[in-house]
Each structure stands twice: as C-alpha cells, then as structure tokens.
Amino acid sequence: MDSVNTVTNDDLKCIKAFRGLYQVYDPEVGINVVDLGLIYELNFDSENKHLTCIFTLTTEFCPMGESITENITKSLENSFPDWEIDLSLIFDPPWEAAMISPEGQADLGW
Amino acid sequence: MPRLSAPGGLQTTTSYKVVLPFYTYGTFALLVAVGLLLGHTNIAKAHHFHPVTLSITHLMALGWGTMIILGASHQLLPVLIKGKLASNFLAYLSFGFMGIGIPFLVWGFYHFQFDWKIQLGAVLINIGVLSYVINVFKSIFESDGREVHAWFMATAAIWLFSTTFLGLLLVFNFTRSWLPSHSLAYLTLHAHMGIVGWFLLMVTGVGSRLIPMFLISKYSNKKLLWWIFSLINIGLISFIVFRSFHTASTAYYISIILTLIGIVIFGYYCFKARKTRIRKNVDYQMKLSLLSILQMLLPILALIVVLLLLPSQTHENLVLLYGFCIFFGWITAIIFGMTFKTLPFIVWNKVYSDMAHGVKLPAPKDLFNDKVFRVMLYLYPIAFVIFGLGIILKNDFLLKTGATALLLAALLYIYNSLITIFHKAKI
C-alpha cells in the first residue's frame, strides 16, 4: 500500500479494493494494475455507496485496454457488490515509469 | 451497472475473425514458397525473369508478406488512427478475393501461361486490394486521429494498389500490348512501388508505433516520422520519374540515398525508443524485429553493387540476391518477430478477455512455444546467410543447405503460429 501512488480518501476500503485489483494483470507486461501504477485514484462515498475509480493505461493505444478495463470493473464489483461504481479512464497525466511500485520495477528487470 | 467515462477514448480492437484468416493464409504461402525454393535452387543461377522465380517472388510478396501485413494492419489500424475499422465485410472481401486470386496468379507464372487464369488472378487480387484501400480510407475519415501514422497507412495502401494495378496491366500486356513497351520494361517500377511504397512505408509507419509500444517506451518524435514519410515517398517518386524518362542510372543514386536516409532515421527512431524503454528485458520477438531494421540495409547495399556492376551484365545473381534480401531477409525477419507480438494478443483477446478476473491467466507470450521460437530465431539467420552465400558463389551445396534450413525455420514458424491460432483456454 505504501509503495503505490494511488490517491484515496479511505485507506481501509482501498486495501479491500487492492486485494481484488492485485489480481488484474496487464497481460503483456505481466504486472498487476496496482503495482504498474495504473490506478490513480479511488474515492469512496460510504454514505451513498458510490465508488469512483480514476485509472489510466500504459499507452492510449493499448491493445489490451478493453480487457484491462473490463477486469478492473469486475474486480471492483466483486469487492463492493452493492456499490455504484464509476470508472474514469484518463491519459492526463500520462502514465510514466516513475509510477511503477518497487515490486513492479523488480519484475521489469530494473 | 458500472459507468465508464473515457474522454480520450478506449482503444477498440478488430475482431479476430477478420485477422486470423490472413495470418493462416500467409503462413501456408510461406511454406509453399520455401518448398518451391528448395525444389528449384537452380533458379539462383538463372535470369531473374524465370517462371519459378516469378512464382516464388509473388508468393512471398503477396501470399506471405502482403497477407500477413494486411491481417496485422486490419488489427492495428484502430491503434494507428485512434478509431476503429470501418467495415469487417470489406476486410472479408479483401481476404476472399486476394486468397483466391493469388494461386491463379502464381499458377500462371509457374507454367508461364499468360492466359485467362493469370488474368483472372490479377483481377481478383486488384479487387481485394481495392476493398482494403476503401476500408483504410473509410476508417481514417470516420476517425478523429489523422496523425502521421494514418498518412503512412493511407499512402502505403495507395502504393499497394498502384503496384497491383500496374501488375494487372503487365499481365494483360503480355498478350495484348496495351502499354508502350514490353512488360519486362516495367518490372523494376512494379517491384519498387511494392517494395518501397507498400512494404517499407507500411513497416516504418506501423513499426514506429508498435516498437515503442512493445518496448514500453514513451519515445515519440512526430517531426522525425514526417521526415521518414517524406524521404521514402520522394525517393520512390523520384525513382519512378528517373525510370520513366530513361535517366542515366547514376540518377538512381539520388532515389537510393533519399530512401536510405529515411531508413537510417527510422533506425535512429527505434534506437531512441529502445534506449528509453521502461521494460529492460527485451524479449526475443523484439530482438528479431530490431534485427530486421538492420536487415533493411542489406538490399540497399546489394542495389548499389548491382548498379555499379550490372552494366557488364555479368552479375545477374546480385539481382537475385537483392530480391532474396528483401523477401526472405527483411520482410520475413520482421514478420517472424512481429507475428509473435501481435498474433498472441489477438488470440488472447479472443480466448481470455471475457474471463473473470481473480485467476492468473496465461500471458500472450505463453500462447506459443518459446523454445521452438528460439530455435527458429537462430536457425533462420543461419539459413538466410547460407542461401545468400549460395547465390553469390553460385554453389549448389550452399543453396540446397540454405533452402533446407529455411524450410525448417518456416516449419517451426508454422508450428508456433498454428498452436497460437488454435489455442484453447488453460486456467
């Protein structure tokens, strides 16, 4: 949790979300979306049971974009079954190497 | 119900049903071409206008190179234009017409009969290419992104049609004399419109996006890409002008130098992408793809030697070496490398994209046999060098050995392609 840059307003719920998201891989890179730094923000509105996930892809031309997005959605739905989930895919700021966690960097051969 | 907002747009992928037939066809065309090469190694000592040489060249250019690149380009077009493929139907038409036309054309060349069969083949191929060109332009006009990559693809498509249309005229000209000169006089133009206009422009355009993407590099330089685009096109157009006006052969150096500079800049672009890559471990597929950039220089060297030596008419085998370096060298190397970067993605999306998360799915690279790929990786360049030496030295043993090794490399490629194409879910 400390090694990733995801912004959140609820650490406990974020850990719960991460448990699922750690199983969502970028199939080409072979690293999960959390360690890859693709999850920019997780905002939890507990009162209205509303979760907003702001995420990115390594490139806007990512051929696996559809699959990764679908799997992030399914993961969050599983972790928060009765919550309303909004996903926002952004490319500004663009994803960069500095966003990869130390664990992800090790997997990339750094 | 989850909602997704994606202001930049989420990349859409072309259906595997469109793409896989092209890959499968190309794979078997390679096998037939290499089989013919092994059975007729004596062509390396004959004039390049030989029935078997023409058959092999067209199998390699159309059946192998073009069919694989058409498959890949239908898949990659959305990536290049930030849109989606306009019509799957046009893609099927393109495959159907070309798939039927190519065997007719090759049969005609092999038997050296310029009758209705070869003419039908040429007509069908042109309809197939025209379907592709319409699809490319329709996709580009319906998309938002008309950046330099879209220009590469659109211009390459036009050059492909120009090549096949001139080919069609040449086929009919053998029996009806429609053109001012004999068909042989146009062969060089026909060949270079295809090699430079179609293959080189397409490979540099697609490669300049794919190579950084697969290396996970953020490097991009549109100015350089415009230079590459302009130099290659001006090089080719100048060659057509010089050839049409029967300019002295020294003028061709201008075209060669322009094209060479374009290739060198492309090499520099890929080098920069490699240098700034985020993924430090470069896989074997990318290594082979990067090697193919160096192989681009071999035909140019052969061409310069041809221009220097050919007036004596004693080095006909260098013309064959030039063609061999292009079709069995550069084009085959980049396809060998890029197939196992693109094909596993296509099949992975087909087999695994709908599967629930939570289980560790195989990666695209797990869809083919890495050991077989590595054996192919070492066997192929050895085969290429042996056969190339056989052409230069006109040595039967080297030609047979090189062709046998090429056939083995092709069989390994086919094995890996087929196990990827027919991969079933493993979880």
Side-chain angles (χ1 to χ4, degrees):
Chain A
M1 179 75 191
D2 292 339
S3 61
V4 296
N5 297 315
T6 307
V7 175
T8 184
N9 61 343
D10 189 329
D11 282 349
L12 281 177
K13 286 197 173 58
C14 189
I15 290 169
K16 188 180 174 187
F18 275 5
R19 274 193 213 119
L21 291 171
Y22 274 127
Q23 303 302 317
V24 178
Y25 284 80
D26 180 321
E28 163 62 6
V29 187
I31 297 174
N32 67 71
V33 292
V34 178
D35 281 323
L36 203 49
L38 299 184
I39 309 295
Y40 283 172
E41 226 176 296
L42 285 170
N43 284 314
F44 300 89
D45 177 356
S46 298
E47 200 175 313
N48 298 308
K49 289 195 169 182
H50 184 235
L51 161 59
T52 308
C53 171
I54 301 173
F55 72 106
T56 191
L57 298 168
T58 53
T59 162
E60 54 186 307
F61 317 110
C62 179
M64 293 298 194
E66 280 178 292
S67 169
I68 293 171
T69 303
E70 199 174 317
N71 283 327
I72 289 174
T73 309
K74 282 178 184 169
S75 167
L76 293 174
E77 279 181 322
N78 278 4
S79 300
F80 301 93
D82 49 349
W83 283 51
E84 191 185 335
I85 295 162
D86 278 346
L87 284 103
S88 182
L89 173 61
I90 60 167
F91 293 102
D92 187 19
W95 175 84
E96 55 186 62
M99 295 170 178
I100 305 172
S101 72
E103 291 80 4
Q105 290 176 359
D107 288 344
L108 283 170
W110 287 23
Chain B
M1 190 67 187
R3 285 176 302 188
L4 170 70
S5 85
L10 182 59
Q11 189 63 62
T12 51
T13 49
T14 304
S15 166
Y16 68 89
K17 290 175 189 165
V18 169
V19 182
L20 293 184
F22 286 98
Y23 274 89
T24 311
Y25 191 101
T27 300
F28 285 103
L30 173 70
L31 184 64
V32 177
V34 179
L36 276 175
L37 190 69
L38 180 60
H40 299 83
T41 46
N42 57 323
I43 58 168
K45 298 175 193 169
H47 190 273
H48 64 275
F49 195 74
H50 184 284
V52 179
T53 307
L54 290 171
S55 308
I56 294 173
T57 305
H58 284 85
L59 259 175
M60 289 299 286
L62 290 167
W64 167 237
T66 298
M67 286 303 248
I68 296 272
I69 289 177
L70 283 183
S73 77
H74 282 108
Q75 176 72 19
L76 299 170
L77 187 67
V79 177
L80 292 171
I81 65 169
K82 294 184 188 172
K84 64 186 185 85
L85 186 70
S87 165
N88 284 359
F89 177 69
L90 280 172
Y92 291 132
L93 276 188
S94 179
F95 175 76
F97 281 115
M98 288 197 66
I100 298 167
I102 291 167
F104 276 102
L105 186 87
V106 172
W107 180 269
F109 280 128
Y110 191 80
H111 295 281
F112 221 57
Q113 290 172 353
F114 294 91
D115 56 7
W116 67 269
K117 289 190 282 295
I118 196 168
Q119 290 168 353
L120 175 68
V123 169
L124 292 175
I125 288 166
N126 272 274
I127 298 172
V129 170
L130 197 57
S131 306
Y132 170 71
V133 173
I134 294 168
N135 212 0
V136 167
F137 275 83
K138 202 165 179 286
S139 305
I140 290 172
F141 280 110
E142 287 174 4
S143 76
D144 297 327
R146 287 175 205 159
E147 292 177 6
V148 60
H149 295 95
W151 281 89
F152 269 96
M153 197 163 240
T155 314
I158 291 172
W159 281 119
L160 173 64
F161 182 66
S162 309
T163 308
T164 56
F165 188 70
L166 179 57
L168 174 79
L169 294 179
L170 296 182
V171 162
F172 279 91
N173 196 54
F174 274 111
T175 48
R176 295 172 199 222
S177 296
W178 286 0
L179 297 168
S181 303
H182 190 267
S183 290
L184 271 172
Y186 301 96
L187 278 188
T188 311
L189 272 186
H190 171 63
H192 286 88
M193 281 159 76
I195 292 164
V196 179
W198 165 237
F199 285 117
L200 184 58
L201 212 52
M202 185 60 110
V203 165
T204 48
V206 172
S208 60
R209 175 144 288 168
L210 283 197
I211 288 173
M213 193 174 87
F214 284 129
L215 290 170
I216 318 181
S217 166
K218 288 280 156 187
Y219 181 73
S220 174
N221 188 332
K222 282 183 188 156
K223 203 173 162 186
L224 275 190
L225 293 179
W226 277 115
W227 270 106
I228 297 167
F229 176 82
S230 308
L231 285 164
I232 292 173
N233 276 297
I234 295 168
L236 179 55
I237 292 165
S238 65
F239 175 74
I240 293 169
V241 171
F242 295 146
R243 187 83 192 169
S244 304
F245 290 98
H246 305 288
T247 317
S249 64
T250 45
Y252 298 147
Y253 286 111
I254 296 170
S255 313
I256 295 170
I257 288 166
L258 288 172
T259 311
L260 183 62
I261 296 170
I263 293 172
V264 170
I265 296 175
F266 175 65
Y268 172 76
Y269 189 95
C270 295
F271 170 75
K272 289 288 282 183
R274 188 183 180 282
K275 209 174 169 191
T276 56
R277 71 193 186 278
I278 290 168
R279 171 190 262 164
K280 296 299 170 198
N281 306 323
V282 179
D283 58 33
Y284 287 106
Q285 302 94 291
M286 287 310 294
K287 281 180 182 162
L288 186 55
S289 303
L290 293 169
L291 173 74
S292 76
I293 298 164
L294 286 178
Q295 278 185 299
M296 283 178 172
L297 299 173
L298 289 180
I300 301 260
L301 286 177
L303 187 63
I304 291 169
V305 175
V306 166
L307 277 171
L308 288 170
L309 299 178
L310 261 195
S312 63
Q313 296 296 319
T314 55
H315 296 85
E316 174 60 30
N317 56 337
L318 287 177
V319 179
L320 285 168
L321 183 68
Y322 174 61
F324 179 75
C325 285
I326 290 170
F327 293 110
F328 286 90
W330 162 55
I331 290 172
T332 295
I334 196 148
I335 293 177
F336 273 6
M338 275 296 165
T339 293
F340 297 106
K341 289 305 293 182
T342 55
L343 188 60
F345 271 98
I346 297 160
V347 176
W348 193 96
N349 268 321
K350 169 194 156 198
V351 177
Y352 294 110
S353 67
D354 292 337
M355 295 203 174
H357 79 286
V359 280
K360 182 92 165 86
L361 298 173
K365 67 179 171 55
D366 300 327
L367 270 55
F368 61 91
N369 187 319
D370 190 51
K371 280 182 188 161
V372 170
F373 182 83
R374 269 187 276 173
V375 174
M376 184 197 80
L377 184 77
Y378 294 115
L379 185 60
Y380 159 69
I382 294 169
F384 173 75
V385 170
I386 293 173
F387 197 89
L389 283 174
I391 294 175
I392 295 167
L393 303 171
K394 298 183 181 177
N395 181 298
D396 279 328
F397 175 75
L398 289 176
L399 290 168
K400 285 281 180 205
T401 309
T404 306
L406 273 175
L407 183 64
L408 289 175
L411 286 170
L412 296 177
Y413 171 85
I414 290 164
Y415 168 77
N416 253 342
S417 295
L418 293 181
I419 62 166
T420 309
I421 290 168
F422 295 108
H423 176 84
K424 301 281 179 226
K426 284 179 191 167
I427 49 169

